Amino acid sequence: MYNANRPSKADLPSTGQLLKSTGVAALVASALLVTVVLPAEYGVDPTRIGSVFGLTEMGRIKRQLAEEAAADAAADAAAVKATPAATPSVTTPPTTAAATPASPAATPGAARTDETVLTLQPDQGAEIKLVMEEGATARFTWISSGGKINFDTHADRPGVSYHGYGKGSSQREEGVLTAAFTGSHGWFWRNRTGEPVTITLKTEGAYTEVKRVV
């Protein structure tokens, strides 16, 4: 009643052919793991091929940013646990950062302009946050004097230790930061250049305070 074209045994691959195909696929997957995945994701480059294509450096940056984000999240969680939610407080340590408001007004929603300058020694990190209401926006530009540095743009508030906006490695970034919620929003930088660098951050928008957290 039904016509079915069934392949003959001669048309089917033999066991040896299947094993050979499986072995070739396993070898290709292993080669990709060693030459592409390990350098790009973990900074591990046993064959040195990843270094030629820049994958190893990308993997190392990813690992550094992940480690720094985890350390920041742990520190923020500890700070939130130690601070009552009803009366949160932030202690800003003495720093070389200088924030100069263009206008003395600091009422919620009022636009202001600031320039913050800080110097980072090799492997040193720093974090600058803007205190913003939910939905408020701030235009920003920051530049490093000594080449690319690692950055992580994120936010926090009591009960939320980390909310990411973006991260990477760059010498200069600019854009508009829109507050996802009422809290602290800003940037963490880590200097991996091996030399001191100066970061100049310019901000303009609806925020009430510029503070250095780290």
Side-chain angles (χ1 to χ4, degrees):
M1 187 173 181
Y2 298 99
N3 294 324
N5 295 322
R6 296 184 178 180
S8 65
K9 289 185 178 181
D11 294 329
L12 297 175
S14 66
T15 302
Q17 290 173 324
L18 290 173
L19 291 175
K20 182 178 179 181
S21 298
T22 303
V24 171
L27 287 174
V28 172
S30 298
L32 290 174
L33 174 66
V34 173
T35 60
V36 177
V37 178
L38 288 179
E41 296 297 327
Y42 303 100
V44 178
D45 189 14
T47 64
R48 304 297 180 187
I49 294 177
S51 299
V52 175
F53 296 100
L55 299 176
T56 306
E57 181 63 21
M58 181 173 68
R60 288 172 181 164
I61 291 173
K62 285 184 178 180
R63 286 181 59 89
Q64 290 171 359
L65 291 173
E67 292 170 358
E68 290 161 8
D72 293 342
D76 290 342
V80 170
K81 184 179 292 185
T83 304
T87 57
S89 63
V90 178
T91 301
T92 304
T95 70
T96 58
T100 306
S103 170
T107 57
R112 56 181 281 177
T113 302
D114 294 274
E115 180 174 302
T116 306
V117 180
L118 59 152
T119 299
L120 296 182
Q121 300 302 318
D123 296 323
Q124 184 182 4
E127 184 173 2
I128 298 294
K129 290 287 184 65
L130 309 180
V131 179
M132 304 173 67
E133 298 288 332
E134 180 177 354
T137 61
R139 183 173 297 277
F140 69 89
T141 302
W142 64 260
I143 186 169
S144 160
S145 66
K148 292 183 178 181
I149 58 173
N150 295 346
F151 71 91
D152 183 348
T153 308
H154 63 279
D156 64 80
R157 68 178 180 186
V160 178
S161 61
Y162 182 87
H163 175 83
Y165 291 118
K167 61 177 65 177
S169 179
S170 179
Q171 185 173 4
R172 184 181 187 277
E173 292 288 321
E174 64 178 310
V176 176
L177 184 61
T178 302
F181 48 75
T182 298
S184 300
H185 308 259
W187 306 264
F188 175 83
W189 299 277
R190 177 78 69 181
N191 176 18
R192 299 293 191 186
T193 66
E195 300 290 339
V197 301
T198 297
I199 298 174
T200 302
L201 168 67
K202 296 181 179 180
T203 53
E204 179 182 1
Y207 53 91
T208 58
E209 183 183 353
V210 180
K211 59 182 180 178
R212 178 164 175 173
V213 183
V214 177

